[in-house]
Amino acid sequence: MTDEQDGVAPNGDRHTGGARSARLPGRAAAGGGSRGGTTRGGKRGGNGGRRRKKEHGLAYKVFWRTVLGLAGLCLIGLIALVIIYLRTPIPPAHADSSKQVSIVYYSDGKTELGRFSTVNREDVKLDKVPKQVRYEFLSAEDRDFYKNSGVSVSGTLRAMWSTLSGGQEQGGSTITQQYVKNNFLTQDRSVKRKVKEIMIALKVDRKLSKDDILEAYLNNIYFGRGAYGIQAASQAYFGVDVDKLDASQGAFLASVINAPGLYDPQYGKAAEDRANARMTYVLDGMVKEGWMTKAQRAKAHMPKFKKYDPHAQQVSGPSGYIVDDVRKELEKKLKLKPEDIDRGGLRITTTIDKKSQKAAVAAVHKNVPTQTARLEALHTGLIAEKPDGAIVAMYGGEDITKSAVNAATAAHLQGGSTFKAYGLAAALQDGMTMETKFSGSSPLLLDKGPGGKPTKIYNDGHEQFGMLTLQRAFAVSSNTAFVRLNQALGTGKTLAAAQQLGIPASAPGMDQPSTTDILGSAAPSVVDVANSFNTISAEGKKADPYLIKKVTSVAGDYSYDAHVDTKQAISKDIAANLVNGMTGPLKDSDGTAHRTAGQLKRPAAGKTGTSSFYKSAWFTGFTPDQLTASVGMYAGDGTVGLDKATHNEDFYGGDTPALIWKDFMQAALKGEKVAKLPKTKHVKQTTTYSPPPVTTQTQAPTSTSETPSSTSSSSTSSTTSSSTSSTSSTTSSTSEPSPTSTTTTTTTTSEPPTPTSTPSPTRPTLPNTPPPARGEPRQSEPQPTP
């Protein structure tokens, strides 16, 4: 007998006992330990009757765990939203003074320079707004206004996704949400602000009636033209009260709020076309929703508009140009909308130094004649810039309400001999020195051009020079010597160096390299030239010019601080050599500005510039790594000679512009340390730029005579006048860019250095009349047509 016994359970099922039966579930012993089991279809006995659980795959587990996790997150999110909703009060509405007036300050952040618009709003009751006009706003902005709870879920999610992904700002907000944003919140794009907007909109929708919300919305929304609210907009666009609006006028007002700067026909045909397309959407929606019959829709048309004066509320006087350019920088650089600026309660601290600005205005008033002539008035532009690009003074004109063109940032003037500084920069980078010599003999005969006639280049007054070092040639501004330098450099290198230092590639004439481009046929703006010379002054480091130093808001919910980026455009050693080489026009007894700018009594460098037929006159200079200023002048629309406008025989950059520069610098630098000239060093060839593509090759280089020498060569004939050198041509001069003419913008196809952008790129289009054909006119630096 063994220890293992067979047995029968009381219920008749077989079972095994002992330890073995515990180890072998489902088995039963039969007589003497033989194997046994359940019958087919029977139950397993004892502990062996329990079935094993079915195991699920990994995908099944991941799926359900994900579902449960998301459900948990949704529950947590819902609880969080409820808490946020309960804890978010309806804030008090903005005060008019804080939400509708933005103030511009001088660099001290305390002294007011100007303001952006004043309040132009008159609240009206909803019953004053024609019912059809009300529904046109619903058709444009929120067709479910009377049905929804104040929030559009799909539109809000779309807008939030755009904000999170950094995409273009999206619409989709209900009228209630828009009202909340404009009346209670700021205009910043953030998820926090959007969530707050939703919560307040839900509460407002429960607290106020739909008609109350619509009334408040129509009295608050910005329509452009400085108008807030539908009553002010009715007057601004049509000269009628709101209750006199017809369906077409109402459809336009409902359309323009989408983007006043894009839909107002005052901005041209393209804006009118956009407004027409938007009105079509609005009116078609009216028919679709049953708010307008097809017959009424057929009568709708583009309404007639009241003439609008955009300068009616502008800051007058010279400060108006600064405030206008500050607005442009806020819109372009900081991406703020006009309504954000006008009613955002912004406090803008500019880079404009009060002392320097006062000095700029005083210098212009002292030296520019008040009585100009029977022709057009003189225009003077002045920009003063610190090494980091901060504009500390700007004179764009006497009164922006009388002349909208900013002569300092929006006008384009032929550069004249100013471009010789860029040729000098190219020469030093090509391995030449200030002692490299070129012949200054006059005239210089260039090969025949497409017209079949040869071109002659003259020095001003037909002056004759022998061999000139670049230092001496720059001081006396010898045209023939610099054209020979340009031939030695190769076509396009002067313009490429100009871009390298800060002249935009898009400036008129910058895409037209030629043998004579060193004489300044291209037409940059005053701020462009100031910035390029500032690069030289600041040890070769280029910084974009800027006007805005800091922005805050009275609500404390917006802030901006300028971040200055600089780029080493040319080497420090080459810049040092350039600075010393450019002192000649001021300190050389025969220098073109010796009697004017040369009397500054501080170490300084600079260059005069006078274009053909005296259409523009320049002086640009700096005290090294301290302050750069550029002065550019023109008359009328740019086609009038400065000599004729002032009844003078001539009008050179070394005269009035240089006197303005000298008087400004003396006052602006009073009490400041005296800057020193940098030490010069011998540098190897370090060309780091590529010339623009040659669109037309009009002249073939002639042989030059340049020999490095440490001996300065005297001229066979010299002058002690403060005039610049000039050229003459046997053919008529080219059609010159008008100071304010920018009908086309061109870019090069090469890869020149990154150009400097200006803070105010708006450049109006004015007539561009070519000068008359003459034989050898008495002129200053004409640009020859081969």
Side-chain angles (χ1 to χ4, degrees), residues 124-374:
V124 294
K125 293 294 184 181
L126 188 63
D127 58 12
K128 284 284 187 181
V129 183
K131 188 173 182 179
Q132 193 169 52
V133 174
R134 294 181 230 165
Y135 279 102
E136 284 172 327
F137 278 86
L138 303 189
S139 178
E141 298 295 321
D142 187 359
R143 295 178 185 180
D144 293 326
F145 173 70
Y146 282 102
K147 301 175 185 177
N148 62 42
S149 59
V151 173
S152 168
V153 177
S154 60
T156 299
L157 290 175
R158 184 170 63 249
M160 291 181 68
W161 171 250
S162 177
T163 299
L164 287 170
S165 61
Q168 186 175 1
E169 187 170 357
Q170 298 288 324
S173 297
T174 64
I175 280 178
T176 307
Q177 287 176 263
Q178 293 180 51
Y179 163 67
V180 166
K181 180 179 71 172
N182 293 329
N183 206 49
F184 302 110
L185 302 175
T186 64
Q187 304 296 320
D188 68 294
R189 294 178 61 195
S190 67
V191 173
K192 181 180 179 181
R193 200 272 296 155
K194 195 68 179 177
V195 171
K196 197 172 183 180
E197 172 193 303
I198 293 169
M199 298 304 161
I200 297 174
L202 290 170
K203 287 195 171 186
V204 166
D205 189 75
R206 295 188 63 181
K207 181 178 180 180
L208 302 177
S209 70
K210 289 291 187 179
D211 283 352
D212 287 342
I213 294 172
L214 183 58
E215 178 182 299
Y217 170 78
L218 291 176
N219 283 322
N220 242 299
I221 197 72
Y222 181 67
F223 287 83
R225 298 195 176 191
Y228 294 89
I230 194 168
Q231 169 62 21
S234 300
Q235 287 291 342
Y237 284 97
F238 309 116
V240 300
D241 287 332
V242 64
D243 59 348
K244 300 296 191 299
L245 288 174
D246 60 31
S248 296
Q249 293 169 333
F252 172 80
L253 292 180
S255 300
V256 77
I257 59 173
N258 188 260
L262 293 177
Y263 293 96
D264 187 347
Q266 70 162 316
Y267 296 115
K269 183 65 166 54
E272 184 175 344
D273 290 342
R274 286 190 288 267
N276 188 68
R278 181 71 176 169
M279 286 177 64
T280 298
Y281 167 79
V282 172
L283 292 166
D284 288 349
M286 291 285 288
V287 175
K288 182 178 179 181
E289 296 294 328
W291 298 330
M292 176 182 280
T293 66
K294 291 184 178 180
Q296 290 173 318
R297 168 68 179 88
K299 293 179 182 179
H301 59 276
M302 180 65 68
K304 292 184 179 180
F305 299 94
K306 177 183 175 182
K307 186 176 180 181
Y308 175 65
D309 180 8
H311 304 300
Q313 295 181 342
Q314 281 186 314
V315 178
S316 61
S319 295
Y321 295 97
I322 300 173
V323 174
D324 189 57
D325 272 18
V326 167
R327 173 184 283 276
K328 292 172 184 175
E329 191 166 324
L330 287 169
E331 292 179 2
K332 291 207 69 175
K333 191 172 182 179
L334 277 66
K335 307 301 182 184
L336 293 177
K337 295 180 179 179
E339 56 265 37
D340 300 338
I341 299 169
D342 286 335
R343 69 176 190 174
L346 301 179
R347 300 297 180 258
I348 303 114
T349 301
T350 69
T351 57
I352 299 294
D353 176 70
K354 188 177 181 180
K355 181 181 79 168
S356 299
Q357 182 63 21
K358 184 179 179 180
V361 175
V364 173
H365 287 176
K366 177 182 176 181
N367 294 287
V368 176
T370 55
Q371 301 297 323
T372 54
R374 56 185 176 81

Side-chain angles (χ1 to χ4, degrees), residues 484-544:
R484 289 181 172 106
L485 164 64
N486 215 30
Q487 290 174 318
L489 286 170
T491 303
K493 286 191 175 182
T494 291
L495 296 189
Q499 291 182 40
Q500 189 179 12
L501 293 170
I503 301 297
S506 59
M510 285 296 291
D511 63 338
Q512 299 171 17
S514 68
T515 304
T516 57
D517 58 26
I518 202 168
L519 301 180
S521 54
S525 66
V526 175
V527 71
D528 295 336
V529 174
N531 188 242
S532 65
F533 275 56
N534 194 55
T535 301
I536 299 171
S537 171
E539 300 181 328
K541 294 188 290 288
K542 183 169 77 69
D544 289 343

Side-chain angles (χ1 to χ4, degrees), residues 425-426 429 496-503 531-544 565-575 578 686-690 752-756:
Q429 290 186 96
Q499 291 182 40
Q500 189 179 12
L501 293 170
I503 301 297
N531 188 242
S532 65
F533 275 56
N534 194 55
T535 301
I536 299 171
S537 171
E539 300 181 328
K541 294 188 290 288
K542 183 169 77 69
D544 289 343
D565 291 319
T566 60
K567 175 184 177 182
Q568 196 72 41
I570 58 175
S571 75
K572 182 177 178 180
D573 291 339
I574 286 179
L578 266 176
T686 57
T687 303
T688 57
Y689 57 92
S690 299
T754 304
T756 300

